[in-house]
Amino acid sequence: MSIVGLIPARGASRGLSRKNLRPINGVPLIAWSIRAAQESAALNRIIVTTDDPEIADVALSYDAEVPFMRPAALATDETPGIAPVLHAIDQLPEASQILLLQPTSPLRTSGDIRGIISFCTEAQAPCAVSVTRSHEHPEWMFRKTPTGCFAVDENFSVGTHRQHLSETFTINGALYLADSSWLRAKGAFITPSTLMYEMPPERSLDIDSEFDLRVAELLLTEETRSEEHTSELQSPCNLVCRLL
């Protein structure tokens, strides 16, 4: 079985200009996904599909592969998200599974990558997509009437407590794993047979704005400091010094 990690990164972006190359703690956004994929040691290849030469050069500098460029027709605002994935599958006949890793999920870890692969394998499922629990419940979301009022029927009640509501989940954009042949046949990751792979909210940030970028930078800075602190604690010299 050959599992290919596929990182889609077009040059243009609708909300945040050149976001796939924007630095977080001095590292281009796309590189966080490349690093997580490499550290997982669970993928046979890590491939970036892009239409942009600069993104391709950055991907190569972080030791990802760019064996083909994405056609311009598959890199527009109107291009369906599945289109570049199906294009990539056509270039990768050896791939039995595709793991889509969107570069806008820099908080996703190598453990998450290994986790969804094990989860799908154990369940013998053709596809799994990462989700996180919804922060706001859809039963507490409202449409507005033309006159500015709540669009609810006369039987609506706001008396339901959160703990009595059914669990709901949001796709977090971090991990999309599918058998290549299944994905070709279905033409979509989300189907009635797709399993949900749950991730915690602290690793489910999907970057789409300057605010998201700053939040990711703060979280990753804190994570780095925590790792450095843990490393110091684990040093034999430091452990002895702290015990004295």
Side-chain angles (χ1 to χ4, degrees):
M1 182 174 68
S2 176
I3 308 175
V4 171
L6 185 67
I7 303 174
R10 67 191 182 103
S13 53
R14 188 176 299 169
L16 193 58
S17 177
R18 305 290 286 169
K19 67 181 176 184
N20 291 313
L21 294 176
R22 293 289 295 273
I24 297 180
N25 293 352
V27 176
L29 179 58
I30 191 173
W32 290 94
S33 291
I34 295 172
R35 284 179 171 180
Q38 291 167 338
E39 290 168 4
S40 75
L43 305 173
N44 298 95
R45 299 178 72 181
I46 301 165
I47 290 174
V48 171
T49 169
T50 184
D51 62 311
D52 189 277
E54 185 180 2
I55 291 177
D57 287 343
V58 169
L60 290 169
S61 74
Y62 282 90
D63 296 325
E65 295 182 59
V66 189
F68 52 83
M69 295 296 287
R70 190 193 309 184
L74 298 181
T76 70
D77 287 344
E78 290 73 36
T79 301
I82 193 65
V85 181
L86 296 176
H87 170 263
I89 289 176
D90 288 340
Q91 319 304 313
L92 303 166
E94 80 283 3
S96 55
Q97 284 184 303
I98 290 290
L99 177 60
L100 183 68
L101 302 166
Q102 295 193 141
T104 49
S105 297
L107 303 181
R108 171 218 308 108
T109 67
S110 58
D112 294 320
I113 292 172
R114 291 191 297 271
I116 195 171
I117 293 171
S118 296
F119 175 72
C120 221
T121 300
E122 290 171 8
Q124 297 184 330
C127 183
V129 169
S130 59
V131 299
T132 192
R133 291 175 190 268
S134 303
H135 178 65
E136 299 294 343
H137 199 280
E139 290 187 27
W140 289 354
M141 296 179 182
F142 304 93
R143 293 184 177 86
K144 187 165 64 173
T145 67
T147 57
C149 299
F150 283 84
V152 295
D153 62 44
E154 58 185 16
N155 298 317
F156 174 77
S157 171
V158 294
T160 304
H161 294 289
R162 176 179 288 276
Q163 60 267 32
H164 296 145
L165 295 172
S166 59
E167 289 184 327
T168 57
F169 298 86
T170 302
I171 297 170
N172 70 358
L175 301 161
Y176 297 76
L177 177 66
D179 293 344
S180 297
S181 58
W182 181 91
L183 193 57
R184 280 196 190 95
K186 298 294 183 180
F189 282 100
I190 307 301
T191 75
S193 59
T194 301
L195 292 183
M196 288 184 173
Y197 178 75
E198 189 175 349
M199 286 175 57
E202 62 267 22
R203 297 204 302 276
S204 295
L205 179 67
D206 185 14
I207 292 180
D208 195 43
S209 66
E210 289 284 351
F211 177 77
D212 296 335
L213 203 65
R214 298 284 76 79
V215 171
E217 191 160 49
L218 288 170
L219 290 172
L220 287 167
T221 299
E222 185 62 31
E223 181 180 299
T224 300
R225 286 175 179 168
S226 177
E227 288 174 355
E228 290 173 349
H229 180 63
T230 300
S231 178
E232 288 177 3
L233 287 174
Q234 290 173 344
S235 164
C237 179
N238 281 305
L239 282 170
V240 171
C241 290
R242 291 172 190 276
L243 288 170
L244 294 177

